[in-house]
Amino acid sequence: MKKLMSVCTAALLAVSLLAGCGGQTSTPASEPASGSTPASAPASAPAEGESYVVGVCQLAPHDALDAATQGFQDALTEALGDKVTIEVKNAAGDSPTCATIVNGFVASDVDLIMANATASLQAAVAATSDIPILGTSVTEYGVALNIENFSGTVGTNVSGTSDLAPLDQQAAMLAEWFPDAETVGLLYCSAEPNSQYQVDVVQAELEELGYTCTQYAFSDTNDMASVTQNAADNSDVIYVPTDNTVANNTGVVDNICRPAGVPVIAGEEGICSGCGVATLSISYYDLGVATGEMAVKILTGEANVAEMPIEYAPQFTKKYNEAICADLGLTAPEGYEAIVTE
């Protein structure tokens, strides 16, 4: 009888243990457990105390990119406070350094990468297909990422904001300032695909208006001065797009064009303040803020980066450079604001 009772007790204990383990495998593998989030859906809102690390790769230190980075940081900090750590690294105008920077972010497994300028975006896309990437100060994403028939949404781990101002209006602005000019030189860095895109569009618009246009492409800072001199020698007016190499070296352009009496129409305010007479520009700070607001939505799970269309600046402002206009004897047409310099 004692042996029989011992056997029964052991059997009951085994059944009890099996029942306790069975709850962990009761949900079929093909269905999410109750309360879980399907893999395709954005992550849920952050838990109390959750924190994030965001890496910023900025191509070069100049006014436009600096303003975009600052706006991005301010938007993130305002929304997330001390829950977000932002690591800002600058490639000092060297595109290969962007790859080094973003590869470091990937190795550190940051929660999001903000790529400021086209070269930074291209490096980030080459480095990861998993970490969300937001670009800013990128003119045309289809060109930058070699996407044919780009519809406005990348559809992968990439989205962001564009600094594209209406190129037809920039061409019209040049005609407004210099209706009697005949030759226009388009000065840009051939290593920047979005610069090539802009000068191609602007050239077509200017030729429709009756101007004779010539493209002057320099490969880097080594031949920038000689190409600029050639452009100044053979042009009545020079147009410069939102080109990061020019933006980082406006003094080179100004030291050649202003003494020669050749005015420069610029694609953005930072370049105009350094070497131009007029621009149709956006606020890069506001563009950075918009990028930061997109980042907050991604980090908190409110939005899926793959579904976010590229956003554009809401408004554009006509501005002029008082000092250079005075030196060249130019008077701004109605409707232009003077660029405020510190």
Side-chain angles (χ1 to χ4, degrees):
M1 180 64 70
K2 288 181 179 180
K3 288 182 180 181
L4 179 59
M5 291 179 64
S6 297
V7 171
C8 291
T9 301
L12 288 170
L13 180 60
V15 171
S16 176
L17 288 171
L18 286 171
C21 296
Q24 298 178 17
T25 58
S26 59
T27 302
S30 60
E31 298 178 6
S34 177
S36 68
T37 303
S40 59
S44 60
E48 189 70 27
E50 187 170 354
S51 60
Y52 311 96
V53 177
V54 174
V56 174
C57 177
Q58 180 175 320
L59 173 61
H62 64 72
D63 291 347
L65 300 189
D66 291 345
T69 293
Q70 189 62 58
F72 178 78
Q73 290 178 278
D74 289 351
L76 274 180
T77 302
E78 180 178 351
L80 300 175
D82 58 7
K83 292 182 179 181
V84 61
T85 299
I86 307 170
E87 299 179 6
V88 179
K89 295 186 181 295
N90 199 304
D94 183 57
S95 296
T97 301
C98 292
T100 302
I101 292 172
V102 295
N103 283 330
F105 290 153
V106 172
S108 300
D109 196 25
V110 299
D111 297 297
L112 183 142
I113 295 172
M114 193 277 264
N116 193 349
T118 300
S120 300
L121 177 68
Q122 291 170 332
V125 170
T128 178
S129 58
D130 299 317
I131 297 173
I133 299 168
L134 288 178
T136 195
S137 312
V138 176
T139 304
E140 170 56 51
Y141 282 73
V143 173
L145 301 180
N146 196 27
I147 303 173
E148 293 186 6
N149 302 316
F150 180 60
S151 63
T153 301
V154 178
T156 62
N157 62 319
V158 179
S159 189
T161 57
S162 167
D163 62 356
L164 179 64
L167 297 174
D168 58 338
Q169 292 182 36
Q170 291 188 36
M173 183 181 65
L174 187 149
E176 179 182 24
W177 277 76
F178 308 107
D180 298 326
E182 296 180 356
T183 57
V184 178
L186 301 115
L187 181 68
Y188 67 102
C189 179
S190 59
E192 299 190 34
N194 271 313
S195 293
Q196 181 71 67
Y197 168 78
Q198 290 174 81
V199 297
D200 286 345
V201 174
V202 169
Q203 177 172 344
E205 294 286 343
L206 289 173
E207 289 176 344
E208 285 287 326
L209 295 172
Y211 293 94
T212 299
C213 299
T214 304
Q215 295 188 12
Y216 295 91
F218 56 89
S219 58
D220 54 33
T221 54
N222 292 321
D223 64 339
M224 183 177 179
S226 61
V227 173
T228 302
Q229 185 66 63
N230 188 26
D233 290 342
N234 294 282
S235 308
D236 296 326
V237 185
I238 288 176
Y239 170 79
V240 177
T242 56
D243 186 285
N244 288 295
T245 308
V246 175
N248 208 30
N249 297 275
T250 55
V252 174
V253 178
D254 189 47
N255 289 337
I256 293 171
C257 293
R258 196 181 335 187
V262 178
V264 176
I265 294 293
E268 58 93 7
E269 183 176 338
I271 295 175
C272 190
S273 65
C275 65
V277 297
T279 183
L280 178 66
S281 191
I282 65 171
S283 167
Y284 276 82
Y285 178 85
D286 291 346
L287 196 69
V289 169
T291 314
E293 291 171 347
M294 294 175 74
V296 171
K297 293 178 181 178
I298 293 167
L299 292 171
T300 60
E302 184 180 343
N304 184 337
V305 63
E307 299 172 354
M308 301 178 80
I310 302 303
E311 296 187 10
Y312 295 82
Q315 62 184 19
F316 311 95
T317 306
K318 291 181 175 181
K319 294 191 175 185
Y320 74 102
N321 186 320
E322 282 186 300
I324 295 181
C325 284
D327 283 351
L328 297 181
L330 298 171
T331 301
E334 291 291 327
Y336 283 78
E337 299 178 10
I339 294 174
V340 178
T341 57
E342 297 180 358

